[in-house]
Amino acid sequence: MAISVSVGPVALVTMKRTAEFGLRAGIISAITVAFIDTIVAVFILLGIHSSLSPFTHIPREIHFLGILIIFVYGIYLFTKKIKPEKILEQPLKKHFWETIFFSFANPSTYLSFGVIALLLTRFLRVSLFDRIELIVGFFAGAVFWWLSLVYITFKNRNKISTEHLQKGVGVLIMIL
């Protein structure tokens, strides 16, 4: 669970979504983030990432393009006017795909798992079974963390100004 706890752009967007669109949107975001983070954990902790050479040496131009897209999204959130929407008419597919994009674009996930994988495989020589056990434990902890974040945000959404939250998320995404 400690690996999943973050105050990065993914957590902020998930909180914004929950406050603005309701519990279903937050749950979709939470489960999607936990799933994507677990996929990253599998690739890194089992060493699969090292056999995918096109993904280990991504050109700077691609990194810059990703940064630019996320920065522009931050500007979009900061300037977007909030419209009251009916909970039943939520764009659930949009929440799912945006969450996938932000999860894959979040460098803190890769850094966390990279450090853990280095410790487990290079220094401690932890067995494959133990690494698989760690992945299962991570998934359970990630689901618990993200659903807790969504629940707390949903219960307190009347206290949160969605407009201020969105502007804050936009600024933080641009900074991060």
Side-chain angles (χ1 to χ4, degrees):
M1 188 172 97
I3 298 170
S4 293
V5 175
S6 67
V7 191
V10 177
L12 294 170
V13 169
T14 300
M15 290 171 63
K16 179 195 126 1
R17 237 181 241 140
T18 303
E20 187 175 356
F21 296 107
L23 194 57
R24 283 181 6 168
I27 289 172
I28 285 173
S29 295
I31 298 298
T32 303
V33 171
F35 183 69
I36 295 300
D37 285 356
T38 302
I39 289 172
V40 171
V42 167
F43 273 78
I44 292 176
L45 292 175
L46 297 182
I48 299 170
H49 69 287
S50 62
S51 64
L52 300 173
S53 60
F55 295 107
T56 58
H57 302 291
I58 298 174
R60 285 187 179 179
E61 295 80 17
I62 303 288
H63 285 285
F64 182 74
L65 181 63
I67 291 168
L68 185 63
I69 289 170
I70 291 174
F71 187 79
V72 169
Y73 184 73
I75 293 172
Y76 167 75
L77 285 179
F78 185 79
T79 59
K80 177 184 169 195
K81 300 289 183 204
I82 297 196
K83 302 177 225 170
E85 297 191 29
K86 296 180 183 175
I87 299 246
L88 295 176
E89 297 177 7
Q90 298 174 35
L92 297 178
K93 287 181 185 176
K94 179 182 177 213
H95 299 313
F96 174 76
W97 289 110
E98 280 182 0
T99 303
I100 284 178
F101 173 75
F102 273 109
S103 293
F104 277 126
N106 186 9
S108 66
T109 303
Y110 303 107
L111 181 62
S112 301
F113 283 116
V115 169
I116 290 170
L118 182 65
L119 287 172
L120 293 178
T121 58
R122 301 286 191 285
F123 299 120
L124 302 178
R125 304 274 187 224
V126 173
S127 70
L128 178 62
F129 178 77
D130 289 337
R131 284 185 263 163
I132 291 172
E133 188 177 45
L134 180 66
I135 290 167
V136 171
F138 167 74
F139 179 71
V143 168
F144 178 75
W145 159 251
W146 287 103
L147 289 179
S148 297
L149 180 70
V150 165
Y151 178 76
I152 290 167
T153 303
F154 182 73
K155 284 296 185 184
N156 294 302
R157 74 182 186 163
N158 293 333
K159 299 174 188 173
I160 300 170
S161 164
T162 309
E163 184 176 350
H164 289 105
L165 181 64
Q166 179 166 310
K167 290 195 182 300
V169 168
V171 167
L172 285 173
I173 286 174
M174 288 184 280
I175 291 171
L176 293 172

